[in-house]
Amino acid sequence: MSKIRREPRRSRGGTNVVYLVAGGIVLALIVAFAVFAVLDSRRGGGDIAGVRSYDVGPGNRHAQGDVDYEQTPPAGGVHSPVWQNCGFYDEPVREENAVHSLEHGAVWITYRPDLPREQVERLRELAQSQTYILVSPYPELPAPVVASAWGKQLRLDSANDERLEQFVRAYRQGPQTPEPGAVCTGGVGEPS
């Protein structure tokens, strides 16, 4: 009987390393894509530069008459028992009614009366293109445009700042809303 000689196997270590490196790169790309997808879908206000948070207490605290608010414009707190109808207004609205709209999940966008006309028109279009948006001029505003939601606020130099729409996406009927789904019509005011 003759013995069969087997040739020693050649090491395929080089090929394995290539597969491992390629697999690692693919895995890293998948993980990066998943992380970006999660962050993009969250669109929470925590990733919007400049958003301020305030402890305005729970909703459902009604008061008759005027309220002295800590923020300008107010971002929540005690408010009128009747909400402001959402939409666009050419004249200032009563703070206490607007705060009640915030409790219902509205975003109240205020602007200085001297804001350039094209920016005012952009705000009008924003208010008319979706529900739960309240837009009104606000004298003595600390910035040209201020977006407020219940307990949240963002000051902007322009209505064209991309953070305005990010704020609206994050907080209109957002997780901070004390009464999500409550109406933003049937209250006071006639939007134009």
Side-chain angles (χ1 to χ4, degrees):
M1 278 196 129
S2 68
K3 282 191 167 181
I4 300 177
R5 283 182 88 200
R6 291 192 175 174
E7 298 263 336
R9 284 189 155 177
R10 291 191 177 128
S11 172
R12 294 185 356 182
T15 304
N16 288 340
V17 169
V18 169
Y19 286 134
L20 286 175
V21 169
I25 290 171
V26 169
L27 181 61
L29 289 172
I30 291 170
V31 168
F33 176 78
V35 167
F36 286 122
V38 168
L39 290 176
D40 188 52
S41 69
R42 268 191 28 217
R43 297 207 192 268
D47 58 350
I48 303 171
V51 171
R52 297 178 184 180
S53 296
Y54 300 101
D55 182 10
V56 293
N60 202 22
R61 296 179 299 146
H62 297 158
Q64 300 296 327
D66 296 338
V67 176
D68 186 25
Y69 292 103
E70 293 182 29
Q71 304 87 34
T72 302
V78 176
H79 52 272
S80 171
V82 181
W83 55 91
Q84 186 75 36
N85 290 326
C86 287
F88 180 87
Y89 292 83
D90 292 320
E91 299 293 325
V93 299
R94 191 166 173 264
E95 293 178 323
E96 293 80 5
N97 299 105
V99 170
H100 195 148
S101 297
L102 297 180
E103 180 188 37
H104 288 189
V107 169
W108 182 21
I109 303 169
T110 51
Y111 63 92
R112 287 183 183 160
D114 64 350
L115 191 70
R117 187 79 186 138
E118 67 275 0
Q119 291 188 46
V120 173
E121 287 307 311
R122 182 176 181 331
L123 296 177
R124 178 190 303 271
E125 290 170 11
L126 185 62
Q128 292 174 343
S129 69
Q130 49 193 310
T131 59
Y132 291 94
I133 302 289
L134 172 61
V135 176
S136 68
Y138 194 102
E140 301 179 28
L141 201 59
V145 177
V146 178
S148 303
W150 191 267
K152 305 291 181 183
Q153 197 166 78
L154 177 63
R155 295 178 180 182
L156 302 163
D157 291 329
S158 168
N160 297 319
D161 189 317
E162 67 183 19
R163 294 176 298 155
L164 178 58
E165 289 190 26
Q166 291 172 353
F167 187 92
V168 168
R169 281 193 304 269
Y171 296 116
R172 185 175 65 98
Q173 288 285 289
Q176 82 295 337
T177 302
E179 293 182 10
V183 296
C184 202
T185 58
V188 299
E190 293 286 328
S192 59

